Amino acid sequence: LCLCLCLCVFVCLCLCLCVCVCLCLCVSFCVFRTYIPKEIVPLLQDVAGDLDAYLPATYAAEIRGIARASNLSLGSIVMGNVLYDFTAFCTSIVMENTNGSVFHGRNLDYSLGSDVLRATTMVVDYVKGGKVAYTATTYAGYVGILTGMKPYAFSISVDERDQGSVWENLLAALVERKHFVPMSFLVRQTLEEEESFDNAITRLSKQPLIAPVYFIVGGTEPRQGAIITRDRLSAVDVYSMDPEQGRWYVLETNYDHWTSPPTRDDRRDPGKAVLNEAGRSQASIALLIKVLNTPPVLNKKTTYTTVMAASQPQLYQAWSQDEN
């Protein structure tokens, strides 16, 4: 009797969780649809009708499965996945301590649907051959990866780079079809297929993309930390850690590192102030958490925080952030 009761409770909890996730998906994709220009909607629906022509077969199948499970239209799921790639405002940091250990952390901020995204944040282990191939922090219904780690190899986070019209970039990329990919799909492909920090840097630097972006990459060895500043075709700049020259960390928000951030959105300088006060000897997961919880690095639009170290995969942590 007790066993039956426990099973009933478990089944009810699972059903409630599924219902909550589906409701959150419905709300989030409805919110995102209002953000997309009306003239773009038919084009995205065309993409939804011919997914295999635009996306790798695995990702196309996953999007179809999400649409069926959530009872949402295929076009809505495609819109949600595309919009994620264009509306993120973030802070990413890679640092190295005096022992040569590398740590990587990020906040992911969104200007719309933040509450819903917090409710659907999850950590996913992608398993292959019975082992964790890579880990990601993501949102329910989202196929790409904006934050992820391949154990004992490298970690990646994505920060939006505001260059050119979002929708012009998207239209140009769709016209080119398979020659351009969403940056979040490229991150997932890199985590799945590449085996080293150097190979990840090369792939993330060269693959044509839908829109400009920053890739922040951490490795497992000393000096393995870099910001890749991308335009749609290739890397504009690769800015690497160089502890011997005093550059024991790299920090990226959403502005080119060789320019000054606007005063209305300066998360870079407050973050650097905390890091510089602590010093390289204090570089650790704990220091990352301190920086990422320092306003305005942490702000009302922050949906989640992730900290990780590819050389120590057990340190991977992620949590939703409350707007307060």
Side-chain angles (χ1 to χ4, degrees), residues 2 9 12 33 35 44 69 93 102 107 140 146 152-153 234 237 240 242 263 273-274 300 313:
C2 291
V9 171
C12 289
R33 188 182 181 115
Y35 184 79
L44 292 177
I93 304 165
V102 177
N107 281 351
L146 300 176
Y152 308 109
S234 62
D237 178 77
S240 300
D242 189 353
T263 55
V274 176
K300 290 186 177 182

Side-chain angles (χ1 to χ4, degrees), residues 92-95 102-104 216-218 224-225 241 248-250:
S92 293
I93 304 165
V94 178
M95 62 172 65
V102 177
F103 306 96
H104 189 164
I216 300 83
V217 188
Q224 287 189 343
M241 289 194 303
W248 56 273
Y249 67 84
V250 289

Side-chain angles (χ1 to χ4, degrees), residues 66 73 77 205 267 307 312:
I66 291 166
S73 71
I77 302 298
S205 297
R267 288 162 283 130
V307 291
Q312 304 174 71

Side-chain angles (χ1 to χ4, degrees), residues 11 46 50 62 77 80-81 84 86 97 102 152 166 191 193 216 271 275 323:
V11 170
D46 287 343
D50 193 15
E62 289 180 11
I77 302 298
N81 275 267
Y84 280 130
F86 292 114
N97 67 13
V102 177
Y152 308 109
V166 166
L191 288 166
E193 298 172 9
I216 300 83
L275 292 168
E323 68 174 334

Side-chain angles (χ1 to χ4, degrees), residues 92-94 104 157 159 161 197 201 204-205 213-218 223-230 235-241 247 249-258 268:
S92 293
I93 304 165
V94 178
H104 189 164
S157 58
D159 288 10
R161 184 177 184 231
F197 172 85
I201 291 290
L204 295 170
S205 297
V213 70
Y214 302 103
F215 292 120
I216 300 83
V217 188
R223 301 168 63 95
Q224 287 189 343
I227 300 167
I228 305 172
T229 301
R230 282 293 311 266
V236 175
D237 178 77
V238 179
Y239 185 64
S240 300
M241 289 194 303
R247 197 161 64 239
Y249 67 84
V250 289
L251 185 156
E252 178 57 56
T253 55
N254 301 103
Y255 308 99
D256 296 342
H257 70 82
W258 58 88
R268 181 197 299 171

Side-chain angles (χ1 to χ4, degrees), residues 116-196:
V116 175
L117 294 176
R118 292 185 185 103
T120 58
T121 297
M122 58 185 182
V123 175
V124 179
D125 287 331
Y126 295 79
V127 178
K128 186 176 183 179
K131 296 183 179 180
V132 175
Y134 52 100
T135 299
T137 309
T138 188
Y139 304 113
Y142 188 53
V143 172
I145 292 176
L146 300 176
T147 308
M149 179 192 73
K150 187 161 193 168
Y152 308 109
F154 55 87
S155 53
I156 308 173
S157 58
V158 178
D159 288 10
E160 185 259 357
R161 184 177 184 231
D162 189 11
Q163 295 283 319
S165 165
V166 166
W167 305 112
E168 286 177 6
N169 288 332
L170 176 59
L171 284 169
L174 291 177
V175 168
E176 295 289 341
R177 295 173 80 87
K178 288 186 176 180
H179 296 294
F180 292 80
V181 299
M183 67 282 288
S184 58
F185 288 5
L186 175 59
V187 170
R188 182 169 168 183
Q189 290 170 337
T190 302
L191 288 166
E192 185 162 339
E193 298 172 9
E194 302 301 337
E195 299 296 335
S196 69

Side-chain angles (χ1 to χ4, degrees), residues 1 17 22-23 27 37 43 67-68 83 89 96 148 155 163 174 179 206 212 225 236 245-246 264 279 310 317:
L1 180 60
L17 178 60
C22 287
L23 285 173
V27 173
L43 178 59
R68 285 194 299 269
L83 192 58
F89 293 88
E96 178 187 322
S155 53
Q163 295 283 319
L174 291 177
H179 296 294
K206 294 183 177 181
V236 175
Q245 298 298 318
R264 60 177 171 76
Q317 303 175 56

